[in-house]
Amino acid sequence: DTGVSQDPRHKITKRGQNVTFRCDPISEHNRLYWYRQTLGQGPEFLTYFQNEAQLEKSRLLSDRFSAERPKGSFSTLEIQRTEQGDSAMYLCASRSTGGASYEQYFGPGTRLTVT
Amino acid sequence: GNSVTQMEGPVTLSEEAFLTINCTYTATGYPSLFWYVQYPGEGLQLLLKATKADDKGSNKGFEATYRKETTSFHLEKGSVQVSDSAVYFCALITAGGGNKLTFGTGTQLKVEL
């Protein structure tokens, strides 16, 4: 078990460009979450998947954001036409619903800087 | 809705000092409570948790007790070390709604020799 991984770790892009991030959860985890963390704040929920189904999206997730988990394993988060306000750390977490614990395991995050 | 309020940082302590980081919450339903820690350049790690009233979560010398009557989950450690320097986040989950985490804003702890 190598934990949750995210790629890339850092991304610098110019305003208006599209970016895509990848998250690989712990292999047996059926739930996958995306959060966004801005400087000096706690992480805020964006969306989550149960297997391949996207079950909830936060109001923070504007139409420029799209997330997928096509085979119920890895997930991608795409931001189209990036804006400076999108600069943040994007965190992925996963968990199994099979046990009694609600613990989510977090990846190292992808830090996005929009110039 | 759910919300978590933490004391603001940074908190600066000398090594071996006593630590308290306050956390209070509001929740719809009966929450499970967590403390996560974020070391510089790393992701969030679960530090401890408590799932029902009067439970005490503990790990690495840190403790927090779930106080339903005061809706609090304060983090304490009797003797901090330089290696404890990090950002600490209080968080909660309620049943349903995908069990998504609601976090406080985080408290930065700096421990000096």
Side-chain angles (χ1 to χ4, degrees):
Chain A
D1 181 359
T2 57
V4 179
S5 61
Q6 292 186 246
D7 184 68
R9 295 289 305 274
H10 303 274
K11 178 71 177 179
I12 300 173
T13 191
K14 293 186 177 180
R15 186 165 54 92
Q17 297 296 304
N18 299 344
V19 294
T20 300
F21 310 141
R22 176 178 170 126
C23 170
D24 286 89
I26 293 171
S27 58
E28 64 269 24
H29 286 182
N30 55 343
R31 283 241 177 122
L32 187 148
Y33 300 81
W34 285 99
Y35 295 85
R36 183 173 69 185
Q37 184 180 14
T38 53
L39 201 60
Q41 300 298 314
E44 295 174 291
F45 169 77
L46 292 178
T47 188
Y48 87 95
F49 293 83
Q50 173 121 343
N51 300 312
E52 66 274 9
Q54 187 175 19
L55 297 186
E56 186 176 347
K57 295 191 287 187
S58 160
R59 282 172 288 184
L60 292 176
L61 216 63
S62 75
D63 291 345
R64 297 183 297 104
F65 288 71
S66 63
E68 294 182 341
R69 194 182 183 198
K71 297 182 180 179
S73 56
F74 73 91
S75 175
T76 58
L77 178 67
E78 181 183 17
I79 309 174
Q80 297 183 327
R81 304 181 303 282
T82 52
E83 301 173 355
Q84 288 189 323
D86 297 330
S87 295
M89 176 78 85
Y90 290 84
L91 297 168
C92 176
S94 70
R95 68 173 275 243
S96 169
T97 57
S101 172
Y102 290 122
E103 181 177 351
Q104 295 181 20
Y105 294 82
F106 282 81
T110 294
R111 182 170 295 284
L112 173 66
T113 303
V114 182
T115 62
Chain B
N2 297 338
S3 68
V4 175
T5 302
Q6 285 181 240
M7 62 186 287
E8 292 191 11
V11 173
T12 303
L13 295 173
S14 299
E15 201 170 43
E16 299 183 1
F18 184 85
L19 168 71
T20 300
I21 300 178
N22 291 338
C23 170
T24 57
Y25 66 89
T26 58
T28 54
Y30 200 120
S32 293
L33 303 174
F34 304 83
W35 277 100
Y36 278 84
V37 58
Q38 189 172 36
Y39 297 102
E42 298 185 15
L44 289 164
Q45 300 175 26
L46 179 66
L47 181 59
L48 53 84
K49 64 184 179 186
T51 58
K52 61 183 188 295
D54 300 325
D55 269 2
K56 179 184 282 187
S58 61
N59 186 26
K60 299 181 181 179
F62 290 89
E63 293 182 339
T65 301
Y66 189 144
R67 300 290 187 199
K68 193 168 186 289
E69 64 276 12
T70 54
T71 62
S72 64
F73 193 54
H74 305 320
L75 182 68
E76 295 181 336
K77 187 175 185 183
S79 176
V80 293
Q81 306 299 313
V82 172
S83 57
D84 293 327
S85 298
V87 182
Y88 292 81
F89 293 93
C90 186
L92 67 82
I93 280 176
T94 50
N99 307 127
K100 53 188 177 288
L101 284 158
T102 299
F103 287 89
T105 54
T107 303
Q108 184 176 12
L109 171 65
K110 297 180 182 178
V111 181
E112 301 173 335
L113 289 171

